[in-house]
Amino acid sequence: MNAKWWQRGIFYQVYPRSFQDTNGNGIGDLEGIRERLDYLVKLGIDAIWISPIYPSPMADHGYDVSDYCGIDPVFGDFETFDRLVEDIHAHGLKLVLDFVPNHTSNQHPWFLESSSSRDNPKRDWYIWRDPAPDGGPPNNWVSYFSGSGWEFHEPTGQYYYHAYLKEQPDLNWRNPEVREEMHNVLRFWMKRGVDGFRVDVIWHLIKDALFRDDPPNPDYKPGDPENNRLIQAYSADQPEVHPVIAGLRRVVDEYPDRVLIGEIYLPVSRLVTYYGEDLGGANLPFNFQLIGAGGHAKDLSKIIMDYEAALPPGGWPNWVLGNHDQPRIASRIGPEFAPLAGMLLLTLRGTPTMYYGDELGMEDVPIPKRATQDPWEINEPGIGVSRDPERTPMQWDASPNAGFTTGTPWLPVSPDYAQRNVATLDADPRSMLTLHRRLIELRRSHPALEMGSYRTVSDEDEVLVYLRELDEQRVLVVLNLSREARTFTLPEEMSAARALLSTRLDDPDRSGPEVRLRVHEGIILEIE
């Protein structure tokens, strides 16, 4: 009964460049998000997470920030933003902004000062090191987007570190002035009504004080992205990061009912440390374990149980199936399994985060070389690292460019938009969109699905079965992950059950204690 909104809620990520364009320049904007709020309310989500909207040269499409307290004109202005915040709240929703504290743009005034001379007061706001004895980089750290993580700055004779593009120099979070300035950024946005922050690459904020070399990755093989060549033992996930995150959390807690979410790609044992001592870290360290999961029932069961077992006392779980950096779920596992994935996401214990368009079953869109936008793909072409395919425009209707823009879209629209779009699926009682709405309605009407406990009942024969339970309410989820029809016999104590929903959106086949599952079917039952 005392759960926070972010525990009961469903988050929905909007990649603003691709959601809705209102001025015909081919790039989505804040006014476009505002115009589509009724759709999000009808879908049933609770909070909108918007990827970066700050002023930026767009070397990495907004993740290279040149002003943390501004709005890039491509997205709008403060008048538009304030109107959006007001309307989001009027619709009963919350707004979460992306916060990108690990690095700035090299065009940020701070970096321009820092790079102007070795004795500039902001020199130590970034990570500068002398060359190695041979004149090369200070150590072997690599950039996520290929090449050395160090860029030589000839005017001052030192290297600066960048975990991503050379246009994205890393801030020095060991410097208390940097921390205080960033705390003030959070306060600035919360005063404007923002309800929380998703913190980009939060596990990167502190680097090894001794700048030791990262060890080689024995599993690296030719053709892998270069950032897999080393194990990030020293360039990320350092123990000293946790007091820094606790400092961010204290600032967020200065304002009532806010949330701090951390982007963290780490094994579960390391991930859960980001809840912090006495849960004073991130409220929700993003859990990406399902993104790399296979489709076998035992594998999924193990992922879920290992995560549940690793959570600190009182730590609230969360689940993510897709985002702007990962291939879409329908492409990863196949469109036939996507309804099952939606049912899984929306019935597990914890806060689910949806990625725009996944409720339509949108798939990755092949991007011609001439249309490539992603700097990672440009740096390492042809090995499958491009993030453009999962960032293509939202498909609203069957009009030109899927109703996204009257101009030329910044990325190509999927060829299937005339069939797979909101307007068409909205009218189909058995569509992927209808399924997601029904799942969210069911979650709302059954406290056991929102806040109940989790227990695996069975993971045999490629059928995953789990129980959600709260007080006297028990809800059983049965997912057929095989490519054949299956039958699951309910345990004796659960044989009195009524079907609530099938992924087929028709009447499930029930006969006594047996649940007959068609190929790729999931069924939710209430135990009476």
Side-chain angles (χ1 to χ4, degrees):
M1 296 299 294
N2 297 319
K4 302 287 190 182
W5 66 265
W6 47 265
Q7 293 176 304
R8 291 184 179 275
I10 297 167
F11 286 75
Y12 184 96
Q13 182 188 358
V14 168
Y15 193 70
R17 297 179 68 88
S18 296
F19 201 60
Q20 179 67 67
D21 171 29
T22 60
N23 61 12
N25 67 355
I27 298 173
D29 45 50
L30 294 176
E31 183 63 18
I33 298 172
R34 193 180 74 86
E35 289 186 359
R36 295 296 187 176
L37 289 179
D38 286 344
Y39 166 77
L40 296 176
V41 170
K42 186 177 180 181
L43 180 60
I45 60 98
D46 300 273
I48 305 168
W49 152 33
I50 302 178
S51 294
I53 55 173
Y54 314 105
S56 166
M58 299 293 170
D60 190 22
H61 298 115
Y63 285 92
D64 49 319
V65 178
S66 58
D67 179 3
Y68 285 101
C69 296
I71 305 287
D72 194 287
V74 76
F75 298 122
D77 53 26
F78 271 118
E79 182 180 352
T80 313
F81 177 81
D82 291 340
R83 187 166 60 244
L84 174 62
V85 173
E86 182 179 355
D87 279 10
I88 283 174
H89 290 158
H91 281 79
L93 304 176
K94 304 286 188 180
L95 173 61
V96 172
L97 281 191
D98 229 312
F99 178 50
V100 189
N102 179 69
H103 45 263
T104 71
S105 165
N106 63 350
Q107 299 304 307
H108 196 293
W110 300 344
F111 187 73
L112 296 178
E113 286 190 51
S114 181
S115 61
S116 64
S117 71
R118 290 197 183 199
D119 57 2
N120 185 275
K122 285 190 169 59
R123 184 68 170 182
D124 192 46
W125 282 40
Y126 293 83
I127 299 172
W128 294 94
R129 301 289 290 175
D130 288 331
D134 64 359
N139 63 24
N140 72 345
W141 297 354
V142 296
S143 161
Y144 258 79
F145 294 154
S146 89
S148 173
W150 296 95
E151 181 73 11
F152 187 65
H153 185 249
E154 192 167 344
T156 58
Q158 285 189 313
Y159 285 85
Y160 67 84
Y161 178 63
H162 56 94
Y164 294 87
L165 296 174
K166 66 180 180 181
E167 292 88 356
Q168 295 171 290
D170 280 37
L171 284 162
N172 176 18
W173 272 82
R174 294 182 183 273
N175 185 322
E177 292 179 354
V178 169
R179 294 198 296 271
E180 185 55 36
E181 190 67 31
M182 288 304 221
H183 291 173
N184 287 332
V185 169
L186 298 180
R187 294 183 180 106
F188 172 86
W189 289 106
M190 287 188 288
K191 287 175 183 175
R192 293 197 92 100
V194 170
D195 299 292
F197 302 91
R198 174 267 191 189
V199 185
D200 187 60
V201 298
I202 200 170
W203 84 105
H204 274 269
L205 293 184
I206 294 291
K207 288 76 172 170
D208 178 46
L210 300 178
F211 293 92
R212 287 169 284 189
D213 280 355
D214 279 335
N217 178 4
D219 296 327
Y220 175 80
K221 57 187 182 299
D224 286 349
E226 189 177 3
N227 63 42
N228 288 351
R229 187 165 53 81
L230 303 175
I231 296 172
Q232 292 180 335
Y234 299 111
S235 54
D237 190 29
Q238 299 303 292
E240 302 98 315
V241 76
H242 297 292
V244 169
I245 297 171
L248 295 173
R249 171 68 181 279
R250 284 192 296 271
V251 173
V252 169
D253 285 347
E254 293 173 6
Y255 295 77
D257 224 15
R258 303 305 209 271
V259 67
L260 186 71
I261 303 167
E263 181 195 26
I264 304 155
Y265 284 94
L266 289 173
V268 165
S269 61
R270 299 298 306 145
L271 167 70
V272 296
T273 65
Y274 284 76
Y275 284 97
E277 186 176 349
D278 298 324
L279 302 181
N283 297 109
L284 296 174
F286 260 157
N287 167 26
F288 298 125
Q289 307 307 308
L290 289 179
I291 286 180
H296 297 294
K298 287 188 179 299
D299 293 341
L300 284 175
S301 177
K302 180 173 174 21
I303 285 171
I304 296 164
M305 294 304 294
D306 286 353
Y307 175 63
E308 286 275 359
L311 290 168
W316 186 248
N318 69 92
W319 297 94
V320 179
L321 275 180
N323 60 36
H324 62 293
D325 288 330
Q326 303 295 333
R328 285 194 176 272
I329 182 65
S331 292
R332 290 204 313 270
I333 65 174
E336 68 276 16
F337 284 105
L340 284 173
M343 183 171 278
L344 177 71
L345 177 69
L346 291 166
T347 58
L348 285 174
R349 188 176 86 95
T351 303
T353 296
M354 301 170 59
Y355 184 51
Y356 83 95
D358 279 356
E359 73 275 16
L360 309 180
M362 281 178 62
E363 299 179 50
D364 291 346
V365 177
I367 306 296
K369 185 176 181 180
R370 67 181 182 279
T372 295
Q373 302 285 333
D374 186 3
W376 191 3
E377 173 67 17
I378 292 169
N379 287 351
E380 290 192 272
I383 63 170
V385 297
S386 178
R387 298 164 298 171
D388 290 337
E390 61 263 23
R391 297 177 176 184
T392 57
M394 181 69 169
Q395 295 161 208
W396 294 107
D397 56 42
S399 66
N401 297 320
F404 164 69
T405 182
T406 57
T408 301
W410 78 287
L411 281 174
V413 175
S414 175
D416 73 354
Y417 79 86
Q419 298 78 39
R420 190 183 302 281
N421 62 68
V422 170
T424 299
L425 300 184
D426 182 62
D428 181 353
R430 294 191 180 181
S431 71
M432 185 74 157
L433 177 58
T434 301
L435 173 63
H436 277 78
R437 287 174 176 159
R438 293 280 305 278
L439 283 166
I440 292 172
E441 288 171 5
L442 200 63
R443 184 182 175 92
R444 291 277 179 269
S445 62
H446 288 74
L449 289 175
E450 271 198 335
M451 300 301 297
S453 61
Y454 171 93
R455 175 167 66 86
T456 298
V457 174
S458 176
D459 57 14
E460 298 297 325
D461 203 24
E462 294 301 352
V463 177
L464 178 61
V465 185
Y466 52 89
L467 182 69
R468 301 295 313 282
E469 188 170 12
L470 184 66
D471 299 328
E472 300 301 313
Q473 187 177 84
R474 294 188 296 166
V475 176
L476 194 71
V477 182
V478 186
L479 305 176
N480 179 12
L481 301 171
S482 78
R483 296 185 179 274
E484 300 175 353
R486 289 284 188 264
T487 298
F488 176 73
T489 302
L490 294 168
E492 185 175 349
E493 71 275 14
M494 299 181 189
S495 58
R498 67 184 182 95
L500 299 174
L501 183 65
S502 162
T503 52
R504 298 291 187 94
L505 294 170
D506 57 8
D507 294 324
D509 187 359
R510 287 290 317 285
S511 176
E514 291 189 338
V515 180
R516 291 187 173 88
L517 297 142
R518 289 162 287 187
V519 178
H520 310 137
E521 184 179 21
I523 297 176
I524 302 174
L525 306 104
E526 185 166 24
I527 309 301
E528 298 175 335

